[in-house]
Amino acid sequence: LAQIAAARENTRYLPGIKLHEAIRFEDDDAKAFHSAELLVCAIPTQFIRPVLGRLKPHLAPGVPVVSVSKGIEIETLKRPSEVIQELFGERPIAALSGPSIASELARQLPATMVTAAADAGGSGEALARRIQELFTTPYLRVYRNDDLLGVELAGALKNVVAIAAGILDGMRAGNNAKAALLSRGLVEMTRLGVAMGALPETFTGLAGLGDLVTTCVSPEGRNRSFGERIGRGEKPADVLASIPGVVEGMPTCRSVVSLARQMHINMPISEGLHAVLFEGRDVRGQLADLMTRELKSE
Amino acid sequence: LAQIAAARENTRYLPGIKLHEAIRFEDDDAKAFHSAELLVCAIPTQFIRPVLGRLKPHLAPGVPVVSVSKGIEIETLKRPSEVIQELFGERPIAALSGPSIASELARQLPATMVTAAADAGGSGEALARRIQELFTTPYLRVYRNDDLLGVELAGALKNVVAIAAGILDGMRAGNNAKAALLSRGLVEMTRLGVAMGALPETFTGLAGLGDLVTTCVSPEGRNRSFGERIGRGEKPADVLASIPGVVEGMPTCRSVVSLARQMHINMPISEGLHAVLFEGRDVRGQLADLMTRELKSE
């Protein structure tokens, strides 16, 4: 934090980007939260619980929280907004998601996002509008969506498909195969989401399809890059050991497959990826299985 | 044709690919059609009518036709299967579409396609199953779909979005912008399709989303490449004059915008592209307009 404050630059994750002069850096929890009007929670999903547990005493009641994390907590299968609610109690909570690779946003390239608040029909409406107005700039257009569950699920599930997309890249399988993966992947993401109570439109919107496209296409995405090395023949455990931080799609794949099995939902791509990541199965065998299943309707 | 027959290679469009020994090359219309059991119609949309007019006397009644053309006839706004029906009369007709860039198929990279027959609930079912069985190989998986109208419309409309995707590439707008274009583009493709009687699921399936992804991402696509040069600052007319053959998305954009205006359907991306292609408007101005419209729900 001291280094970022001194250089006014995050040299590890956003090299070359000067941070705006209005941004202050604070390592004292109490001071950081003093007079906060809105909290942006950008903690990797599996670390939200411990970090917010520490911060809990410092956040005033009623201060709204907007989550930008994309994942599902492994042990509890909860979404980021649910974990925040549990720790920070009743207050306005929303998610901000969509196709928004950080390096492009930092260079002010044009992008869109989508925000959804809890209690969307009621008190959440005001928070969603406030987030929309706060984050919209001439290069970033923020849409509202009423389906918080769907927005969060879509953001988590797309990381599973992104690992599979990376595997295809590593195998040099081509764009026809990747397009098929995205289409069929979106179908099974939607199937699970709808069974859990989300709206299908959310999955064909910016938080679903939009984010899926960026994540599966951008060279810099962590989940896609992780998959690419597996597609080239490396073992998942070896790849994981060689990179710092979290590959969100990996725990998400485990959660998704448990959910799908519990709920009897057919998710052949997630199952195939699960077999490669956790059951030691070969990637080529899994791809061949997907291509030679019984012929059927779309 | 003589050159291809001699080299057993299409050196212009598929250099380096040996054509299968079972393929025969025939420039005599009557001989070519003698004992034909299935006709694959792979003529660019605007040329289907004159070519089939010439071939008409040689095709036996009842021989089924499968169309792989993606476009809408400019003067009549008809789909390829409708033009085929008009010229060849009552017979089983189907379309075969989806994310299938030829150079990848020729290298036997894994791909999926989708087939839909006219009269899908009735007599078309047998033709769709036959096409599915004929074209499926270990590397190509063919799905059936009941919505011929939707499959053909999606295949035509995606070329309009592909030109816009190329423009973003030419402007170096990034993957967030491209993902947003694909999502919002699919929304307006679906809006027009559904208004014309197609099923929304077709647009989120392989013939819609799937083909849209390949076409907007693959460097070799004609529509995307055409857009890329416009995005770099060239005038549409100059780009057109410098390349051989047809850019299907260009006439399709004109047809789509007439249809949208007639039917009072909001299609901001197609309208924006129309302004650039046919009304001399600047690409940067159009992008800025799209980014600064009134804030709203998805």
Side-chain angles (χ1 to χ4, degrees), chain A residues 99-101 104-105 109-112 114 132-133 136-145 172-177 179-180 182-184 186-187 204-207 209-211 213-214 217-219 287 290-298, chain B residues 99-101 104-105 109-112 114 132-133 136-145 172-177 179-180 182-184 186-187 204-207 209-211 213-214 217-219 287 290-298:
Chain A
S100 45
I101 290 265
E104 295 189 5
L105 281 182
L109 294 176
T112 54
V114 60
Q132 189 175 32
E133 278 160 27
T136 293
T137 68
Y139 61 89
L140 177 61
R141 187 170 162 78
V142 181
Y143 288 82
R144 293 190 309 280
N145 182 308
R172 301 183 177 280
N175 286 316
N176 293 340
L182 262 73
S183 302
R184 302 304 301 169
L186 189 65
V187 166
T204 49
L206 293 168
L209 167 59
D211 204 359
V213 168
T214 319
V217 164
S218 292
L287 182 61
L290 281 176
M291 292 298 291
T292 53
R293 287 180 305 140
E294 189 196 347
L295 292 179
K296 59 175 198 172
S297 293
E298 221 182 342
Chain B
S100 46
I101 292 264
E104 295 190 5
L105 280 183
L109 293 176
T112 54
V114 59
Q132 190 174 31
E133 279 160 26
T136 293
T137 69
Y139 60 90
L140 177 61
R141 186 169 161 79
V142 180
Y143 287 81
R144 294 189 308 279
N145 182 309
R172 300 182 178 280
N175 285 316
N176 293 340
L182 262 73
S183 302
R184 303 304 301 171
L186 188 65
V187 166
T204 50
L206 292 168
L209 168 59
D211 204 358
V213 169
T214 320
V217 163
S218 292
L287 183 61
L290 281 176
M291 292 298 290
T292 54
R293 287 180 306 141
E294 190 196 347
L295 292 178
K296 59 174 197 172
S297 294
E298 224 183 339

Side-chain angles (χ1 to χ4, degrees), chain B residues 18-57:
Chain B
K18 278 289 160 212
L19 298 170
H20 194 281
E21 58 196 18
I23 301 175
R24 288 189 298 140
F25 306 91
E26 180 55 67
D27 62 1
D28 182 290
D29 295 346
K31 281 191 196 159
F33 278 20
H34 179 71
S35 77
E37 290 173 14
L38 178 78
L39 187 69
V40 177
C41 178
I43 306 164
T45 309
Q46 311 309 327
F47 300 96
I48 295 177
R49 194 174 290 272
V51 174
L52 294 199
R54 191 195 82 207
L55 295 172
K56 189 176 171 174

